[in-house]
Amino acid sequence: MDYSYLSTPIEYLRTVGPARATLLQRELGIHTFGDLLEYYPFRYLDRTRFITINQIAETNNYIVTKGVITDIKTVGEGRKMRLTAILRDVTGSLELVWFQGIKWVKESLRTNVEYLVLGRPTLFNGSYNIAHPDLEPVKPEGEAVAQSFIPIYSSTEKLKSRGFSTKGISKIMSVLLGDAHGNIPETLPKHIISRFGLMGREEAMFNIHFPKDAETNAKAVRRLKFEEVFMMQLEYLYAKTERREKGRGFVFNHIGNYFNSFYKNNLPFELTGAQKRVVREIYTDMRTGKQMNRLLQGDVGSGKTLVALLCMLIACDNGFQACLMAPTEILATQHFANIMKFLQNIGIEAELLTGSTKPASKRKIKERLQKGEIQILIGTHALIEKDVVFANLGLVVIDEQHRFGVEQRAKMWAKNTIPPHILVMTATPIPRTLAMTVYGDLDCSIIDELPPGRKPIRTLHQYDGDRLKVFGFMKRQISAGHQIYVVYPLINESEKLDLKDLMDGYESISRAFPQPQYQISIVHGQMKADAKDYEMERFKKGQTHIMVSTTVIEVGVDVPNASVMVIENAERFGLSQLHQLRGRVGRGAEQSYCILMTSDKLTTDGRARIKTMVETTDGFKIAEADLKLRGPGDLQGLQQSGVIDLKLADIVQDENMIRVARDTVNEILSSDPRLLSPENSLLKRYVQKKSAKINWGRIS
Ligand code: ADP
Ligand code: MG
């Protein structure tokens, strides 16, 4: 255990105490002094640049103003009770309002004292007010110069009501930093500090929370940001190096009958050059005696499934079992059907296991799996379950869309005495920085070529008002023998409202495309699995002309005869989702179309997304555009799932820094792979601490 200052539990910080410590832990995940220190401000205000009350012109932006408080009173009763006060300067007045912590605010407010007021004005009945402002008495002349930069910390209402407004947080921060001199050890080696001209850690901590001036603050932020991305890359790349050094893996050292007879007899087409190359890369990796952890990237339709199958056959040829895990049941089922077709007469035993496999057959499958009678198992998350036990699992393929984190991958490692080889396939390409941050611990193979003979999909943008025209186009496509998808966005599969959109759409399509001339399928998330399968099956067999569905068809569904994808409310989809959906068509030799239907009221972002889709079909370009458009804010899904954990760095804006950090770490590890040299001792300590944490996590 380490009893350093920074690992002291937060409740021991003066003025915090046990009750408020619990609050900090629960609301902000702050457990120790060190955690608090790393709770950085998200912006700053320059208090020397306050405005007078009559200069307030904008709403919802932080401002600083200055004045004297008068007329403090409570208004309303019970839940509607609020506290108001008037702030005046020579130019005018402004109302201040509190809805929470009223008693506390009332006791602490002083009338006829000049305050600096910080907050976001809103316009109400023609005049401005500020709710829950931060107040600070203007210090009398002659006293030590107050901090001119005020840090702004994000806070929650709950925290604010317990005294942790941004100012409350900065107060405990100043208590912490007041005792911190000499207690904030350096984490980066000297050679890194001097090479990149970085500020020391302690100085940086002072200047990120209480900056001396803008310039010093910028240096502090740069230093801590660099540390953040550097340590992240160190963790990934060290794990990778360590695995390569001592992480034993199964040796798949020959290609045998299964692979060869599939290749000779069952492969219906020539592999693309890129497919051949990545199979070779993967095979090379699997025969080194080290565990493979590899990412397979490729655009929609580039033929990743086939690559996965070839690798699984290599596993079988070497006497091992393999499994393929997909993010949805529909996709798992589809993979299973395709693979069964590919594997005819090869003599491989394959099974499908998902959440809706009947208990009796589930039991049977598990038994046979454990005896080694099943060679390839395909399924969903269900495969991760502890009671899915393999006789000799050698390869795990994960087909995903940013859905599985490092931890889930690690669970699959535990399925054999030596961890099986892992191949992660992304459903769409991901930008380089994202690959470096989310999959930074994996080696990467890229399929950068589509199978020959594909005509680029033509993408059109149509407004809702043009629906009749679109219906006409659909009819012509159907009479030419093609099939059509119509997809509705579903933000939340359980939301009735979304389902209503789908049902309304289905009805109007049913009216425009009457039976028996036209047959329509419908599939959505609230249907039972066998009803879904039945409808999918009808569409696949060409018995229905139109498939109306939610995004359940998003990933992987493969019907080469479908030539039109109509996406309703396209403005509500993200770019990668649109690209993924569009990839459902254009698989046959015919010209295919994607029609993006939107209302005529589009946001700037919505319009940019539609424009990108119309202009390009290159998944890598779309992925870059997507990341730029959404920015890091919308990557929250990733952030929350713990896949990306960055406090300061922004994977779009700081791409360059991330790359430099990664190159530097690579350089260090190539000359000192186990970090044994004294000049890297701090780095060694960091990775040891990290791996201790992971191991504890696994035990508990
Ligand atoms: P994705 O990379 O999106 O998962 P799939 O593996 O589903 O792509 O492949 C898309 C389609 O292309 C499938 O119908 C597959 O059979 C076909 N395909 C794969 N490889 C080739 C190839 N080399 N030549 C022709 N068609 C191919
Ligand atoms: Mg796929």
Side-chain angles (χ1 to χ4, degrees):
M1 264 313 245
D2 117 57
Y3 290 105
S4 68
Y5 179 73
L6 294 184
S7 63
T8 313
I10 195 68
E11 65 172 289
Y12 297 117
L13 186 63
R14 268 182 296 123
T15 75
V16 172
R20 297 211 304 163
T22 311
L23 194 68
L24 287 174
Q25 284 165 15
R26 250 204 326 255
E27 296 280 301
L28 301 177
I30 294 174
H31 297 267
T32 63
F33 286 14
D35 292 340
L36 178 60
L37 205 56
E38 289 182 21
Y39 193 70
Y40 303 123
F42 71 92
R43 53 177 284 153
Y44 303 88
L45 276 179
D46 185 347
R47 82 195 285 172
T48 59
R49 297 236 207 117
F50 55 87
I51 55 177
T52 54
I53 290 174
N54 69 344
Q55 284 173 325
I56 296 175
E58 290 173 81
T59 58
N60 256 332
N61 257 332
Y62 276 94
I63 56 125
V64 185
T65 184
K66 200 162 82 169
V68 169
I69 284 183
T70 60
D71 305 281
I72 303 171
K73 63 179 180 226
T74 46
V75 190
E77 281 189 32
R79 289 170 144 266
K80 288 196 173 151
M81 187 155 84
R82 58 186 197 276
L83 181 73
T84 63
I86 303 295
L87 182 79
R88 293 178 200 285
D89 68 6
V90 289
T91 70
S93 68
L94 169 77
E95 192 180 48
L96 307 177
V97 196
W98 292 264
F99 303 98
Q100 262 137 5
I102 292 179
K103 187 162 166 278
W104 182 82
V105 177
K106 200 172 172 183
E107 280 163 15
S108 57
L109 276 185
R110 300 277 166 270
T111 49
N112 300 316
V113 170
E114 199 175 26
Y115 281 99
L116 268 166
V117 177
L118 160 73
R120 290 194 285 202
T122 48
L123 199 54
F124 184 71
N125 281 344
S127 52
Y128 288 101
N129 69 47
I130 298 182
H132 287 265
D134 283 295
L135 299 175
E136 202 168 334
V138 176
K139 300 248 162 71
E141 302 275 333
E143 205 171 89
V145 191
Q147 197 69 31
S148 72
F149 265 58
I150 305 172
I152 309 294
Y153 297 93
S154 65
S155 177
T156 61
E157 280 310 318
K158 200 168 194 178
L159 283 167
K160 280 183 189 165
S161 71
R162 303 281 297 272
F164 289 130
S165 61
T166 168
K167 207 176 133 217
I169 294 172
S170 103
K171 236 182 215 152
I172 56 171
M173 204 66 81
S174 73
V175 172
L176 177 69
L177 284 167
D179 298 335
H181 273 296
N183 281 322
I184 303 178
E186 185 49 71
T187 50
L188 291 173
K190 280 210 181 71
H191 61 100
I192 297 294
I193 302 255
S194 62
R195 176 166 165 189
F196 294 102
L198 300 174
M199 186 183 264
R201 191 166 206 262
E202 180 169 305
E203 190 184 354
M205 282 300 181
F206 276 94
N207 280 290
I208 196 164
H209 291 293
F210 300 106
K212 203 160 74 192
D213 50 50
E215 198 188 331
T216 322
N217 177 252
K219 280 189 189 147
V221 172
R222 175 168 171 269
R223 140 74 211 220
L224 292 168
K225 206 186 259 184
F226 187 84
E227 170 182 325
E228 182 172 58
V229 297
F230 184 86
M231 292 310 196
M232 173 181 73
Q233 292 303 327
L234 179 68
E235 187 185 344
Y236 286 153
L237 295 171
Y238 185 80
K240 204 161 135 179
T241 317
E242 203 177 30
R243 270 200 313 260
R244 205 171 284 152
E245 287 224 322
K246 47 179 198 184
R248 282 207 300 144
F250 298 119
V251 182
F252 294 180
N253 60 7
H254 73 284
I255 291 201
N257 271 337
Y258 291 134
F259 186 99
N260 285 328
S261 62
F262 170 76
Y263 207 94
K264 263 193 234 120
N265 307 325
N266 289 22
L267 193 60
F269 31 64
E270 180 72 12
L271 291 184
T272 63
Q275 283 172 316
K276 284 184 191 158
R277 175 174 46 76
V278 303
V279 171
R280 231 177 289 125
E281 282 169 11
I282 294 166
Y283 179 49
T284 307
D285 220 5
M286 293 192 300
R287 56 190 307 185
T288 55
K290 308 292 178 200
Q291 186 211 4
M292 173 178 78
N293 276 277
R294 189 167 278 276
L295 174 68
L296 176 60
Q297 283 206 68
D299 210 341
V300 183
S302 61
K304 295 183 288 289
T305 318
L306 194 58
V307 168
L309 178 61
L310 289 166
C311 298
M312 292 197 287
L313 290 177
I314 296 177
C316 297
D317 273 335
N318 286 273
F320 289 90
Q321 293 167 300
C323 69
L324 169 60
M325 188 158 68
T328 66
E329 199 155 323
I330 288 204
L331 183 53
T333 311
Q334 172 100 31
H335 274 323
F336 180 68
N338 281 343
I339 285 176
M340 288 307 273
K341 220 179 328 158
F342 273 134
L343 289 181
Q344 265 170 33
N345 304 321
I346 300 293
I348 289 272
E349 284 297 311
E351 282 292 346
L352 174 70
L353 182 71
T354 70
S356 59
T357 308
K358 298 249 154 48
S361 41
K362 205 177 259 179
R363 211 172 315 122
K364 191 90 203 289
I365 289 174
K366 285 179 190 165
E367 253 174 53
R368 294 182 57 221
L369 190 68
Q370 198 159 6
K371 284 195 205 140
E373 289 167 13
I374 294 172
Q375 292 158 290
I376 292 180
L377 183 64
I378 294 165
T380 52
H381 282 75
L383 304 193
I384 299 182
E385 301 291 314
K386 271 215 182 72
D387 62 346
V388 177
V389 181
F390 292 81
N392 194 17
L393 180 63
L395 170 66
V396 177
V397 182
I398 304 175
D399 191 5
E400 68 170 10
Q401 211 195 14
H402 311 160
R403 288 180 210 214
F404 297 104
V406 180
E407 268 165 44
Q408 276 161 313
R409 261 183 260 150
K411 281 194 187 138
M412 294 308 290
W413 291 19
K415 297 255 177 199
N416 206 342
T417 45
I418 292 179
H421 297 301
I422 307 273
L423 182 66
V424 178
M425 305 194 290
T426 61
T428 50
I430 53 177
R432 230 181 89 88
T433 26
L434 201 55
M436 286 190 292
T437 43
V438 181
Y439 298 105
D441 60 332
L442 306 183
D443 296 302
C444 186
S445 288
I446 295 181
I447 308 183
D448 50 6
E449 185 186 348
L450 291 179
R454 298 254 173 98
K455 288 210 181 87
I457 301 162
R458 285 183 55 193
T459 303
L460 307 147
H461 175 202
Q462 297 284 311
Y463 292 104
D464 289 341
D466 301 326
R467 194 167 302 275
L468 285 180
K469 210 167 81 193
V470 174
F471 281 169
F473 175 74
M474 288 164 64
K475 282 186 178 152
R476 286 195 298 282
Q477 286 286 313
I478 291 172
S479 39
H482 301 307
Q483 288 166 282
I484 295 171
Y485 294 103
V486 180
V487 178
Y488 286 82
L490 207 61
I491 307 303
N492 179 348
E493 293 255 329
S494 65
E495 256 179 40
K496 289 213 175 70
L497 195 76
D498 288 327
L499 202 57
K500 187 175 173 302
D501 268 5
L502 176 81
M503 287 309 179
D504 290 351
Y506 176 69
E507 257 171 41
S508 86
I509 289 169
S510 303
R511 253 178 277 122
F513 296 82
Q515 297 209 33
Q517 192 186 354
Y518 299 103
Q519 298 295 327
I520 305 170
S521 283
I522 180 164
V523 168
H524 58 79
Q526 301 203 334
M527 283 162 69
K528 290 245 159 54
D530 40 0
K532 260 190 246 178
D533 290 348
Y534 174 76
E535 286 297 318
M536 293 293 303
E537 212 42 49
R538 290 209 307 149
F539 187 66
K540 252 192 287 184
K541 288 191 185 132
Q543 293 166 354
T544 57
H545 302 106
I546 302 176
M547 162 63 78
V548 178
S549 83
T550 59
T551 42
V552 289
I553 66 139
E554 178 187 338
V555 244
V557 174
D558 196 10
V559 180
N561 191 46
S563 67
V564 182
M565 166 66 66
V566 179
I567 305 177
E568 293 286 344
N569 300 316
E571 70 272 26
R572 284 172 67 185
F573 287 98
L575 262 179
S576 73
Q577 217 179 1
L578 288 172
H579 180 60
Q580 184 69 42
L581 283 169
R582 179 169 60 182
R584 299 306 106 213
V585 296
R587 299 195 159 202
E590 301 293 322
Q591 176 64 56
S592 295
Y593 301 87
C594 173
I595 301 175
L596 305 171
M597 303 292 301
T598 72
S599 74
D600 47 12
K601 290 188 209 87
L602 285 177
T603 60
T604 320
D605 267 15
R607 195 170 296 279
R609 282 197 297 271
I610 302 293
K611 184 160 173 273
T612 307
M613 285 298 294
V614 171
E615 280 170 0
T616 181
T617 52
D618 179 335
F620 283 91
K621 277 191 194 141
I622 289 174
E624 295 283 349
D626 190 27
L627 191 58
K628 296 222 162 85
L629 273 176
R630 284 188 305 168
D634 265 328
L635 289 169
Q636 254 180 13
L638 286 178
Q639 237 141 22
Q640 277 157 4
S641 63
V643 179
I644 302 183
D645 181 19
L646 292 171
K647 295 184 174 111
L648 289 172
D650 169 331
I651 64 169
V652 179
Q653 320 240 331
D654 299 315
E655 174 173 359
N656 217 27
M657 188 187 261
I658 294 173
R659 191 167 304 166
V660 168
R662 188 169 176 90
D663 290 347
T664 310
V665 171
N666 264 326
E667 210 177 280
I668 293 173
L669 288 175
S670 68
S671 64
D672 184 12
R674 315 194 56 175
L675 300 173
L676 297 175
S677 124
E679 64 165 19
N680 293 326
S681 62
L682 285 173
L683 303 182
K684 180 80 184 174
R685 194 180 309 160
Y686 178 82
V687 294
Q688 279 171 338
K689 219 165 99 188
K690 273 282 169 187
S691 71
K693 222 182 211 167
I694 289 176
N695 290 337
W696 272 110
R698 258 182 226 168
I699 289 164
S700 59

